[in-house]
Amino acid sequence: MNCSSKDAEDIYVPIPASLKIPILFQQKLIAPVIPTNNTLTEEGITLGKRLFFDKILSKDNTQSCATCHDPKKAFTDNDRFSDGVDGKLGTRNSMPLFNLAWNFDERFTWDGKELSLERQALEPVRNLIEMHSKWVNVAQKIKEHPEYPTLFKEAFGSVKIDSTLITKALAQFERTLISGNSKFDRHLLGTTQLSPEEQNGFDVFMDETRGDCFHCHGSNNNPLWTDNKFHNNGLDAILTDLGLGKVTGDPNDNGKFKTPSIRNLKFTAPYMHDGRFNTLDEVIDHYSTGLKSSPTIDPLMKKVKQGGVNISNKDKADLKAFLLSLSDNDFVNSFN
């Protein structure tokens, strides 16, 4: 029942919704972050999904959120830098979107400048090299749309349409983007087995004397496969993009960027905050022999003086096989 008996035409009570949380997440993670001032409803999620794919958010109605966050590519694109409505390129690689409700620190984007999903959703619309619009203009277009006013009323009980409610709806939809059905997940649940190569790759990943990847990228006990923290992972000797340091103003944060999840790497090339690596082989080579020292290099880059962890070609190939076992085909194919 979603209409009050008193005034069914004017009062609509949205239906509460809950996330479909994978079994492993239930077993290994605490509850996701759902703000008390933006709880999930069926109507809010539906509205957010429609807005996410609607080009009405951009200045000239040519780009939607999905333009740079394509479901088939785990909600990123395959460009090093995405181009906005005016054809201008950004300076950071588009981040994939999934499992965002478990970002417990609530710092989003590569440099952590956005402190909630709702706040993050404000930025692309008004960014001059992305959608290059103004929120007041977007809100007006949506108010004049033949269907959106009703959808907002059903989702929020209000015909008032502004950036606050638009971003709340977008954030509700984004929290439903959950990826947790990869081969490795099924292996942990006992329903499938890894190949010998994938198993050795996981062992390399967890071995401090070989890959030593798990400190930042999680383990079989962290199905997010990220610590959601910020690190300088030895990309450059001279730091030109300060990353988190530009946000906090603390020089100790210079060159630090958010640890991305290693889920769905099959779909999310190129890699790193600036998309400098086109392939997983290049990424693995970086950590094996390509590390560069700088004043804020993370202490976890223990072998920076040797250039990296120097693993064998066999271990490199197996590590890649393990990483690809974290691909969730159901997730990328569920938004047709």
Side-chain angles (χ1 to χ4, degrees):
M1 183 71 179
N2 48 30
C3 296
S4 76
S5 57
K6 182 179 179 182
D7 192 343
E9 290 186 359
D10 294 329
I11 302 175
Y12 187 97
V13 180
I15 302 169
S18 56
L19 297 177
K20 296 178 181 177
I21 302 177
I23 293 174
L24 279 176
F25 288 36
Q26 296 177 34
Q27 294 174 346
K28 299 178 181 295
L29 298 174
I30 61 175
V33 177
I34 307 294
T36 55
N37 65 352
N38 192 26
T39 56
L40 300 177
T41 66
E42 292 185 8
E43 293 82 355
I45 295 168
T46 298
L47 173 60
K49 181 178 181 180
R50 179 159 178 175
L51 289 166
F52 188 91
F53 290 95
D54 197 331
K55 297 176 180 177
I56 199 172
L57 298 184
S58 61
K59 178 182 72 171
D60 56 2
N61 301 322
T62 60
Q63 289 196 349
S64 69
C65 302
T67 302
C68 301
H69 297 283
D70 182 349
K72 290 288 186 185
K73 297 161 186 169
F75 287 87
T76 180
D77 58 22
N78 290 144
D79 297 323
R80 180 175 184 184
F81 303 124
S82 307
D83 57 340
V85 296
D86 300 318
K88 298 178 181 177
L89 295 177
T91 58
R92 302 267 176 78
N93 186 245
S94 174
M95 294 197 81
L97 305 177
F98 50 80
N99 302 338
L100 302 173
W102 286 271
N103 184 350
F104 301 114
D105 290 340
E106 290 248 79
R107 274 194 177 274
F108 295 92
T109 72
W110 283 108
D111 57 15
K113 67 179 179 180
E114 305 294 355
L115 300 181
S116 72
L117 265 181
E118 285 79 3
R119 285 182 56 173
Q120 189 283 324
L122 284 170
E123 171 65 14
V125 168
R126 62 191 179 194
N127 189 299
L128 299 181
I129 57 175
E130 296 187 41
M131 293 181 175
H132 196 178
S133 191
K134 296 180 180 177
W135 273 110
V136 64
N137 295 341
V138 171
Q140 187 60 39
K141 285 194 289 184
I142 292 177
K143 287 175 186 175
E144 295 171 355
H145 190 276
E147 298 174 13
Y148 273 124
T150 298
L151 297 176
F152 271 85
K153 188 173 183 180
E154 292 176 350
F156 297 109
S158 171
V159 294
K160 177 185 176 183
I161 298 175
D162 60 14
S163 61
T164 298
L165 291 188
I166 294 170
T167 53
K168 279 188 172 183
L170 288 168
Q172 284 197 39
F173 169 62
E174 289 180 299
R175 290 190 174 96
T176 70
L177 304 178
I178 299 173
S179 174
N181 188 29
S182 69
K183 181 179 182 180
F184 195 85
D185 296 313
R186 296 191 293 277
H187 162 70
L188 292 178
L189 292 170
T191 60
T192 193
Q193 288 187 330
L194 298 181
S195 68
E197 292 78 13
E198 291 165 341
Q199 181 61 59
N200 182 55
F202 175 63
D203 294 340
V204 171
F205 183 91
M206 296 295 296
D207 189 341
E208 289 188 294
T209 68
R210 293 195 284 173
D212 195 19
C213 314
F214 69 95
H215 295 287
C216 302
H217 284 293
S219 69
N220 52 317
N221 288 314
N222 174 6
L224 301 178
W225 297 99
T226 171
D227 61 1
N228 276 318
K229 304 294 185 184
F230 298 81
H231 303 274
N232 175 348
N233 63 341
L235 290 171
D236 297 301
I238 298 174
L239 305 175
T240 54
D241 187 341
L242 299 184
L244 181 65
K246 187 172 182 180
V247 176
T248 65
D250 183 347
N252 293 314
D253 290 332
N254 287 350
K256 294 181 180 178
F257 294 91
K258 187 180 183 67
T259 307
S261 174
I262 54 169
R263 281 188 179 274
N264 297 315
L265 295 175
K266 175 181 177 182
F267 314 109
T268 61
Y271 308 102
M272 302 293 164
H273 68 278
D274 55 5
R276 68 178 64 190
F277 298 136
N278 290 317
T279 67
L280 279 180
D281 300 288
E282 291 178 49
V283 174
I284 293 170
D285 283 342
H286 164 70
Y287 289 108
S288 184
T289 57
L291 294 183
K292 297 179 179 64
S293 186
S294 62
T296 60
I297 185 80
D298 198 287
L300 291 169
M301 302 294 112
K302 303 168 190 171
K303 297 185 178 179
V304 63
K305 290 183 179 179
Q306 291 78 46
V309 291
N310 287 281
I311 58 176
S312 68
N313 288 336
K314 164 66 173 168
D315 282 349
K316 286 181 183 178
D318 290 354
L319 177 58
K320 180 180 177 181
F322 157 66
L323 293 173
L324 293 176
S325 79
L326 290 166
S327 306
D328 185 346
N329 291 292
D330 288 347
F331 176 66
V332 300
N333 290 320
S334 60
F335 295 90
N336 294 324

